DNA sequence: CCCTTTAATAGTCAGCACGACTATAAAAGG
DNA sequence: CCTTTTATAGTCGTGCTGACTATTAAAGGG
């Protein structure tokens, strides 16, 4: 941290890149923007932008989140720093260090772009071709992190509306993990974890479809899960 | 990622900060340097330095690790990116964004500083007064991360020499977690996890002290623990 | 109006991982 | 030789979990 004179010769640009997830039609979607300029013109990329002089990376990420989703209030949304990508060649034009974030939205507002000129669109996860820069890697890392955090935190409720059924919550897990879960066991586990969900006192609402109407729940106050809710054992889980 | 012209006005300095841990005399130690200049002159700080133009943050971190520990070969050491600290005011002189890393050393070589003029010293964790900048926060985050990773990875062997006894491995856990573990249960758990440790075929060595000589083990090939080795339940684990 | 379909909810049962605990073996030190 | 110390072996009961069956309450179709 001494020898500041070294720096003056080679400054860095610092950006944030956002992997914004939501659930639409029981499918995981990611918010992507189409690049208009070289390099990677015409390719999809993660939304992001430069960190301004008076901002922390977290502040910049939340600002970008508001701009790209078009939402007026993003203060309650889950936003989490992933890691920083700093390979020298990751942007062919110049030296850019990018702090990556993951964000989770309950519902997918079709509106996008806000006042920003960039076209932001919800794209089903995995369907967009190779992304610009190292964004494929960032997106994969973000997905891994979210899936892992589902095991030992209450993060899954961040994908749900304020009131939801246990079936909806289960489908969140199944969609993100890409597996199927046993319904009775999932109920037992969720209800046995204090603070994970709390029942909405009076009413049970029908979800609109057929079948017995389901009870409604709200997200509880807990954030961690003890013991964890492990995904179905893939034996010999690799490094 | 468009509008690069914005950047030219306000560049950032990018540094790495390292939380380097080792175990000495059954106590967790951290590598710290004493600052010679303002700000925070005379205060302890985490070792670190600027990321050079041709380096990634990971490369810079490993270079700094070698310089500060004085070790000739740091390629096998565990080095892991923590997160990035970017609050605008964290360095009073200028805008510095720092990528923090955690590193784990098996033995504590007393040598330090290498060719670097900075005095690097091993200090028992928790005994150094308030550190410079936001390094208290970084160090606490690093400690939390290492403790958490002990639960579901084989990371603890990174603190051990090439061959070690199960008692030594247990003391690593106890030191990092600050708790006591039941010895038979710890043995059972470690030995039941395939790939965690592998027995050294022939010999059992005495650790030098009294008591029955212990069998020697090497770190296995596994990196993850399934199921995890949870620390003694602190009820109602907070957020 | 009944019967099928769909989904939610309730409950059972066995396996196994883990915490707590006791017992034995093999060394050093007095 | 006896005590202390540490490693290793084994036991027992509880609780979580996976697999599975049963019941309830709605919609839809004939």
């Amino acid at each position: 941290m001494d020898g500041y004179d070294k720096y003056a010769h080679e400054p860095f640009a610092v950006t944030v890149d956002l992997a914004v997830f939501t659930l639409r039609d029981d499918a995981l979607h990611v918010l992507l923007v189409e690049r208009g300029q070289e390099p990677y013109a015409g390719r999809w990329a993660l939304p992001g932008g430069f960190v301004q002089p008076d901002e922390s990376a977290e502040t910049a990420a939340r600002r970008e989140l508001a701009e790209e989703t078009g939402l007026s209030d993003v203060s309650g949304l889950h936003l989490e720093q992933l890691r920083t990508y700093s390979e020298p060649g990751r942007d062919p034009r110049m030296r850019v260090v990018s702090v990556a974030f993951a964000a989770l939205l309950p519902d997918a507002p079709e509106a996008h772009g806000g006042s920003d000129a960039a076209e932001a669109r919800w794209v089903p996860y995995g369907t967009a071709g190779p992304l610009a820069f190292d964004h494929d890697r960032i997106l994969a890392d973000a997905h891994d992190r979210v899936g892992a955090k589902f095991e030992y935190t209450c993060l899954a409720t961040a994908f749900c509306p304020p009131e939801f059924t246990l079936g909806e919550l289960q489908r969140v897990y199944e969609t993100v993990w890409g597996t199927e879960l046993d319904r009775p066991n999932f109920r037992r586990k969720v209800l046995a974890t204090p603070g994970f969900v709390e029942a909405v006192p009076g009413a049970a609402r029908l979800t609109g479809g057929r079948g017995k109407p389901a009870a409604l729940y709200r997200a509880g106050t807990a954030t961690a899960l003890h013991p964890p809710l492990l995904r179905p054992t893939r034996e010999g889980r690799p490094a």
Side-chain angles (χ1 to χ4, degrees), chain A:
Chain A
M1 297 293 292
D2 304 282
Y4 271 66
D5 47 327
K6 286 182 193 167
Y7 136 77
H9 312 305
E10 188 77 15
F12 292 78
V14 177
T15 62
V16 291
D17 283 316
L18 273 65
V20 188
F21 294 105
T22 197
L23 252 48
R24 287 246 284 233
D25 310 320
D26 287 347
L28 188 64
H29 283 65
V30 196
L31 192 66
L32 295 180
V33 296
E34 196 170 4
R35 288 188 53 81
Q37 313 175 6
E38 290 295 336
Y40 301 104
R43 292 269 274 273
W44 293 98
L46 297 178
F50 287 91
V51 176
Q52 299 300 317
D54 58 339
E55 283 179 330
S56 69
E58 281 71 18
T59 304
R62 204 167 283 280
R63 171 178 55 74
E64 290 288 341
L65 181 60
E67 289 176 7
E68 305 284 355
T69 61
L71 294 175
S72 54
D73 181 22
V74 295
S75 60
L77 300 180
H78 179 85
L79 180 68
E80 167 180 341
Q81 190 184 131
L82 274 181
R83 50 158 292 188
T84 293
Y85 298 82
S86 59
E87 298 302 318
R90 59 181 297 278
D91 188 315
R93 292 163 295 182
M94 58 182 303
R95 196 62 208 283
V96 179
V97 167
S98 182
V99 186
F101 288 82
L104 269 52
L105 295 217
D107 45 4
E110 188 56 78
H112 41 69
S115 60
D116 202 323
E119 277 294 309
R121 292 225 187 100
W122 291 107
V123 177
Y125 179 78
T127 63
L131 303 182
F133 305 106
D134 51 0
H135 290 188
D136 281 310
R137 169 92 191 285
I138 297 177
L139 183 55
D141 288 350
H143 184 248
D144 286 351
R145 172 83 137 257
V146 170
K149 283 205 117 184
F150 268 35
E151 291 194 334
Y152 56 94
T153 71
C154 302
L155 188 57
T157 56
F159 275 125
C160 293
E163 299 190 342
F164 53 88
T165 70
L166 292 187
E168 290 166 354
L169 183 61
Q170 180 177 348
R171 237 163 284 127
V172 170
Y173 271 92
E174 292 176 332
T175 304
V176 171
W177 282 349
T179 59
E180 293 206 343
L181 301 175
D182 180 82
R183 198 185 304 253
N185 291 341
F186 180 81
R187 289 178 58 79
R188 186 218 291 158
K189 174 67 182 174
V190 171
L191 294 176
T193 304
F196 193 174
V197 297
E198 55 181 42
V200 174
R205 183 196 60 177
L206 48 161
T207 58
R210 304 182 278 278
K212 182 175 176 178
L216 284 179
Y217 295 85
R218 272 192 279 265
T221 55
T223 58
L225 250 47
H226 280 280
L229 174 47
L230 300 171
R231 41 194 140 179
T233 20
R234 21 170 187 170
E235 294 296 333
R237 190 169 173 181

mmCIF file with all atom_site columns, all heavy atoms in Angstrom, chain A residues 20-33:
data_model
loop_
_atom_site.group_PDB
_atom_site.id
_atom_site.type_symbol
_atom_site.label_atom_id
_atom_site.label_alt_id
_atom_site.label_comp_id
_atom_site.label_asym_id
_atom_site.label_entity_id
_atom_site.label_seq_id
_atom_site.pdbx_PDB_ins_code
_atom_site.Cartn_x
_atom_site.Cartn_y
_atom_site.Cartn_z
_atom_site.occupancy
_atom_site.B_iso_or_equiv
_atom_site.pdbx_formal_charge
_atom_site.auth_seq_id
_atom_site.auth_comp_id
_atom_site.auth_asym_id
_atom_site.auth_atom_id
_atom_site.pdbx_PDB_model_num
ATOM 1   N N   . VAL A 1 20 ? -28.726 -10.887 -13.388 1.00 0.00 ? 20 VAL A N   1
ATOM 2   C CA  . VAL A 1 20 ? -30.036 -10.670 -12.780 1.00 0.00 ? 20 VAL A CA  1
ATOM 3   C C   . VAL A 1 20 ? -30.955 -11.822 -13.174 1.00 0.00 ? 20 VAL A C   1
ATOM 4   O O   . VAL A 1 20 ? -31.199 -12.045 -14.359 1.00 0.00 ? 20 VAL A O   1
ATOM 5   C CB  . VAL A 1 20 ? -30.650 -9.331  -13.232 1.00 0.00 ? 20 VAL A CB  1
ATOM 6   C CG1 . VAL A 1 20 ? -31.909 -9.037  -12.458 1.00 0.00 ? 20 VAL A CG1 1
ATOM 7   C CG2 . VAL A 1 20 ? -29.642 -8.212  -13.083 1.00 0.00 ? 20 VAL A CG2 1
ATOM 8   N N   . PHE A 1 21 ? -31.424 -12.540 -12.160 1.00 0.00 ? 21 PHE A N   1
ATOM 9   C CA  . PHE A 1 21 ? -32.262 -13.720 -12.412 1.00 0.00 ? 21 PHE A CA  1
ATOM 10  C C   . PHE A 1 21 ? -33.706 -13.442 -12.032 1.00 0.00 ? 21 PHE A C   1
ATOM 11  O O   . PHE A 1 21 ? -33.988 -12.694 -11.097 1.00 0.00 ? 21 PHE A O   1
ATOM 12  C CB  . PHE A 1 21 ? -31.765 -14.914 -11.595 1.00 0.00 ? 21 PHE A CB  1
ATOM 13  C CG  . PHE A 1 21 ? -30.409 -15.414 -11.988 1.00 0.00 ? 21 PHE A CG  1
ATOM 14  C CD1 . PHE A 1 21 ? -29.300 -15.157 -11.195 1.00 0.00 ? 21 PHE A CD1 1
ATOM 15  C CD2 . PHE A 1 21 ? -30.230 -16.148 -13.152 1.00 0.00 ? 21 PHE A CD2 1
ATOM 16  C CE1 . PHE A 1 21 ? -28.041 -15.623 -11.544 1.00 0.00 ? 21 PHE A CE1 1
ATOM 17  C CE2 . PHE A 1 21 ? -28.977 -16.622 -13.508 1.00 0.00 ? 21 PHE A CE2 1
ATOM 18  C CZ  . PHE A 1 21 ? -27.884 -16.351 -12.702 1.00 0.00 ? 21 PHE A CZ  1
ATOM 19  N N   . THR A 1 22 ? -34.616 -14.061 -12.760 1.00 0.00 ? 22 THR A N   1
ATOM 20  C CA  . THR A 1 22 ? -36.005 -14.102 -12.331 1.00 0.00 ? 22 THR A CA  1
ATOM 21  C C   . THR A 1 22 ? -36.619 -15.403 -12.812 1.00 0.00 ? 22 THR A C   1
ATOM 22  O O   . THR A 1 22 ? -36.008 -16.155 -13.582 1.00 0.00 ? 22 THR A O   1
ATOM 23  C CB  . THR A 1 22 ? -36.819 -12.904 -12.842 1.00 0.00 ? 22 THR A CB  1
ATOM 24  O OG1 . THR A 1 22 ? -38.009 -12.788 -12.091 1.00 0.00 ? 22 THR A OG1 1
ATOM 25  C CG2 . THR A 1 22 ? -37.158 -13.076 -14.313 1.00 0.00 ? 22 THR A CG2 1
ATOM 26  N N   . LEU A 1 23 ? -37.839 -15.674 -12.361 1.00 0.00 ? 23 LEU A N   1
ATOM 27  C CA  . LEU A 1 23 ? -38.542 -16.877 -12.780 1.00 0.00 ? 23 LEU A CA  1
ATOM 28  C C   . LEU A 1 23 ? -39.756 -16.481 -13.597 1.00 0.00 ? 23 LEU A C   1
ATOM 29  O O   . LEU A 1 23 ? -40.609 -15.711 -13.124 1.00 0.00 ? 23 LEU A O   1
ATOM 30  C CB  . LEU A 1 23 ? -38.970 -17.682 -11.551 1.00 0.00 ? 23 LEU A CB  1
ATOM 31  C CG  . LEU A 1 23 ? -38.210 -18.984 -11.297 1.00 0.00 ? 23 LEU A CG  1
ATOM 32  C CD1 . LEU A 1 23 ? -36.723 -18.769 -11.382 1.00 0.00 ? 23 LEU A CD1 1
ATOM 33  C CD2 . LEU A 1 23 ? -38.586 -19.573 -9.966  1.00 0.00 ? 23 LEU A CD2 1
ATOM 34  N N   . ARG A 1 24 ? -39.815 -16.983 -14.813 1.00 0.00 ? 24 ARG A N   1
ATOM 35  C CA  . ARG A 1 24 ? -40.961 -16.745 -15.682 1.00 0.00 ? 24 ARG A CA  1
ATOM 36  C C   . ARG A 1 24 ? -41.442 -18.086 -16.197 1.00 0.00 ? 24 ARG A C   1
ATOM 37  O O   . ARG A 1 24 ? -40.667 -18.828 -16.805 1.00 0.00 ? 24 ARG A O   1
ATOM 38  C CB  . ARG A 1 24 ? -40.546 -15.888 -16.881 1.00 0.00 ? 24 ARG A CB  1
ATOM 39  C CG  . ARG A 1 24 ? -40.286 -14.458 -16.533 1.00 0.00 ? 24 ARG A CG  1
ATOM 40  C CD  . ARG A 1 24 ? -41.305 -13.563 -17.189 1.00 0.00 ? 24 ARG A CD  1
ATOM 41  N NE  . ARG A 1 24 ? -41.031 -13.405 -18.598 1.00 0.00 ? 24 ARG A NE  1
ATOM 42  C CZ  . ARG A 1 24 ? -40.927 -12.227 -19.202 1.00 0.00 ? 24 ARG A CZ  1
ATOM 43  N NH1 . ARG A 1 24 ? -41.019 -11.135 -18.471 1.00 0.00 ? 24 ARG A NH1 1
ATOM 44  N NH2 . ARG A 1 24 ? -40.751 -12.148 -20.487 1.00 0.00 ? 24 ARG A NH2 1
ATOM 45  N N   . ASP A 1 25 ? -42.728 -18.349 -16.017 1.00 0.00 ? 25 ASP A N   1
ATOM 46  C CA  . ASP A 1 25 ? -43.298 -19.589 -16.546 1.00 0.00 ? 25 ASP A CA  1
ATOM 47  C C   . ASP A 1 25 ? -42.467 -20.793 -16.111 1.00 0.00 ? 25 ASP A C   1
ATOM 48  O O   . ASP A 1 25 ? -42.154 -21.667 -16.920 1.00 0.00 ? 25 ASP A O   1
ATOM 49  C CB  . ASP A 1 25 ? -43.385 -19.534 -18.083 1.00 0.00 ? 25 ASP A CB  1
ATOM 50  C CG  . ASP A 1 25 ? -44.051 -18.255 -18.563 1.00 0.00 ? 25 ASP A CG  1
ATOM 51  O OD1 . ASP A 1 25 ? -45.034 -17.838 -17.932 1.00 0.00 ? 25 ASP A OD1 1
ATOM 52  O OD2 . ASP A 1 25 ? -43.562 -17.668 -19.549 1.00 0.00 ? 25 ASP A OD2 1
ATOM 53  N N   . ASP A 1 26 ? -42.121 -20.823 -14.841 1.00 0.00 ? 26 ASP A N   1
ATOM 54  C CA  . ASP A 1 26 ? -41.343 -21.932 -14.294 1.00 0.00 ? 26 ASP A CA  1
ATOM 55  C C   . ASP A 1 26 ? -40.035 -22.160 -15.029 1.00 0.00 ? 26 ASP A C   1
ATOM 56  O O   . ASP A 1 26 ? -39.563 -23.295 -15.129 1.00 0.00 ? 26 ASP A O   1
ATOM 57  C CB  . ASP A 1 26 ? -42.175 -23.226 -14.316 1.00 0.00 ? 26 ASP A CB  1
ATOM 58  C CG  . ASP A 1 26 ? -43.248 -23.182 -13.237 1.00 0.00 ? 26 ASP A CG  1
ATOM 59  O OD1 . ASP A 1 26 ? -43.178 -22.309 -12.360 1.00 0.00 ? 26 ASP A OD1 1
ATOM 60  O OD2 . ASP A 1 26 ? -44.150 -24.031 -13.284 1.00 0.00 ? 26 ASP A OD2 1
ATOM 61  N N   . ALA A 1 27 ? -39.468 -21.071 -15.556 1.00 0.00 ? 27 ALA A N   1
ATOM 62  C CA  . ALA A 1 27 ? -38.155 -21.197 -16.185 1.00 0.00 ? 27 ALA A CA  1
ATOM 63  C C   . ALA A 1 27 ? -37.282 -20.046 -15.699 1.00 0.00 ? 27 ALA A C   1
ATOM 64  O O   . ALA A 1 27 ? -37.751 -18.912 -15.558 1.00 0.00 ? 27 ALA A O   1
ATOM 65  C CB  . ALA A 1 27 ? -38.272 -21.171 -17.718 1.00 0.00 ? 27 ALA A CB  1
ATOM 66  N N   . LEU A 1 28 ? -36.034 -20.358 -15.479 1.00 0.00 ? 28 LEU A N   1
ATOM 67  C CA  . LEU A 1 28 ? -35.100 -19.341 -15.004 1.00 0.00 ? 28 LEU A CA  1
ATOM 68  C C   . LEU A 1 28 ? -34.727 -18.421 -16.163 1.00 0.00 ? 28 LEU A C   1
ATOM 69  O O   . LEU A 1 28 ? -34.335 -18.884 -17.233 1.00 0.00 ? 28 LEU A O   1
ATOM 70  C CB  . LEU A 1 28 ? -33.849 -20.022 -14.437 1.00 0.00 ? 28 LEU A CB  1
ATOM 71  C CG  . LEU A 1 28 ? -32.831 -19.137 -13.728 1.00 0.00 ? 28 LEU A CG  1
ATOM 72  C CD1 . LEU A 1 28 ? -33.437 -18.527 -12.475 1.00 0.00 ? 28 LEU A CD1 1
ATOM 73  C CD2 . LEU A 1 28 ? -31.585 -19.935 -13.396 1.00 0.00 ? 28 LEU A CD2 1
ATOM 74  N N   . HIS A 1 29 ? -34.879 -17.121 -15.934 1.00 0.00 ? 29 HIS A N   1
ATOM 75  C CA  . HIS A 1 29 ? -34.539 -16.139 -16.969 1.00 0.00 ? 29 HIS A CA  1
ATOM 76  C C   . HIS A 1 29 ? -33.437 -15.219 -16.474 1.00 0.00 ? 29 HIS A C   1
ATOM 77  O O   . HIS A 1 29 ? -33.320 -14.952 -15.285 1.00 0.00 ? 29 HIS A O   1
ATOM 78  C CB  . HIS A 1 29 ? -35.761 -15.304 -17.333 1.00 0.00 ? 29 HIS A CB  1
ATOM 79  C CG  . HIS A 1 29 ? -36.748 -16.020 -18.221 1.00 0.00 ? 29 HIS A CG  1
ATOM 80  N ND1 . HIS A 1 29 ? -37.455 -17.129 -17.804 1.00 0.00 ? 29 HIS A ND1 1
ATOM 81  C CD2 . HIS A 1 29 ? -37.153 -15.780 -19.491 1.00 0.00 ? 29 HIS A CD2 1
ATOM 82  C CE1 . HIS A 1 29 ? -38.244 -17.537 -18.792 1.00 0.00 ? 29 HIS A CE1 1
ATOM 83  N NE2 . HIS A 1 29 ? -38.082 -16.736 -19.822 1.00 0.00 ? 29 HIS A NE2 1
ATOM 84  N N   . VAL A 1 30 ? -32.662 -14.715 -17.414 1.00 0.00 ? 30 VAL A N   1
ATOM 85  C CA  . VAL A 1 30 ? -31.571 -13.782 -17.103 1.00 0.00 ? 30 VAL A CA  1
ATOM 86  C C   . VAL A 1 30 ? -31.796 -12.511 -17.900 1.00 0.00 ? 30 VAL A C   1
ATOM 87  O O   . VAL A 1 30 ? -32.271 -12.548 -19.042 1.00 0.00 ? 30 VAL A O   1
ATOM 88  C CB  . VAL A 1 30 ? -30.203 -14.379 -17.489 1.00 0.00 ? 30 VAL A CB  1
ATOM 89  C CG1 . VAL A 1 30 ? -29.091 -13.595 -16.825 1.00 0.00 ? 30 VAL A CG1 1
ATOM 90  C CG2 . VAL A 1 30 ? -30.131 -15.830 -17.125 1.00 0.00 ? 30 VAL A CG2 1
ATOM 91  N N   . LEU A 1 31 ? -31.448 -11.391 -17.301 1.00 0.00 ? 31 LEU A N   1
ATOM 92  C CA  . LEU A 1 31 ? -31.564 -10.106 -17.981 1.00 0.00 ? 31 LEU A CA  1
ATOM 93  C C   . LEU A 1 31 ? -30.297 -9.869  -18.799 1.00 0.00 ? 31 LEU A C   1
ATOM 94  O O   . LEU A 1 31 ? -29.189 -9.861  -18.248 1.00 0.00 ? 31 LEU A O   1
ATOM 95  C CB  . LEU A 1 31 ? -31.747 -8.994  -16.946 1.00 0.00 ? 31 LEU A CB  1
ATOM 96  C CG  . LEU A 1 31 ? -32.174 -7.628  -17.474 1.00 0.00 ? 31 LEU A CG  1
ATOM 97  C CD1 . LEU A 1 31 ? -33.574 -7.704  -18.063 1.00 0.00 ? 31 LEU A CD1 1
ATOM 98  C CD2 . LEU A 1 31 ? -32.117 -6.578  -16.367 1.00 0.00 ? 31 LEU A CD2 1
ATOM 99  N N   . LEU A 1 32 ? -30.473 -9.698  -20.114 1.00 0.00 ? 32 LEU A N   1
ATOM 100 C CA  . LEU A 1 32 ? -29.318 -9.487  -20.986 1.00 0.00 ? 32 LEU A CA  1
ATOM 101 C C   . LEU A 1 32 ? -29.541 -8.251  -21.850 1.00 0.00 ? 32 LEU A C   1
ATOM 102 O O   . LEU A 1 32 ? -30.683 -7.850  -22.107 1.00 0.00 ? 32 LEU A O   1
ATOM 103 C CB  . LEU A 1 32 ? -29.095 -10.711 -21.890 1.00 0.00 ? 32 LEU A CB  1
ATOM 104 C CG  . LEU A 1 32 ? -28.722 -12.021 -21.193 1.00 0.00 ? 32 LEU A CG  1
ATOM 105 C CD1 . LEU A 1 32 ? -28.545 -13.132 -22.214 1.00 0.00 ? 32 LEU A CD1 1
ATOM 106 C CD2 . LEU A 1 32 ? -27.459 -11.856 -20.359 1.00 0.00 ? 32 LEU A CD2 1
ATOM 107 N N   . VAL A 1 33 ? -28.462 -7.671  -22.291 1.00 0.00 ? 33 VAL A N   1
ATOM 108 C CA  . VAL A 1 33 ? -28.530 -6.533  -23.211 1.00 0.00 ? 33 VAL A CA  1
ATOM 109 C C   . VAL A 1 33 ? -27.800 -6.907  -24.491 1.00 0.00 ? 33 VAL A C   1
ATOM 110 O O   . VAL A 1 33 ? -26.842 -7.686  -24.471 1.00 0.00 ? 33 VAL A O   1
ATOM 111 C CB  . VAL A 1 33 ? -27.888 -5.263  -22.597 1.00 0.00 ? 33 VAL A CB  1
ATOM 112 C CG1 . VAL A 1 33 ? -28.660 -4.822  -21.364 1.00 0.00 ? 33 VAL A CG1 1
ATOM 113 C CG2 . VAL A 1 33 ? -26.436 -5.493  -22.260 1.00 0.00 ? 33 VAL A CG2 1
#
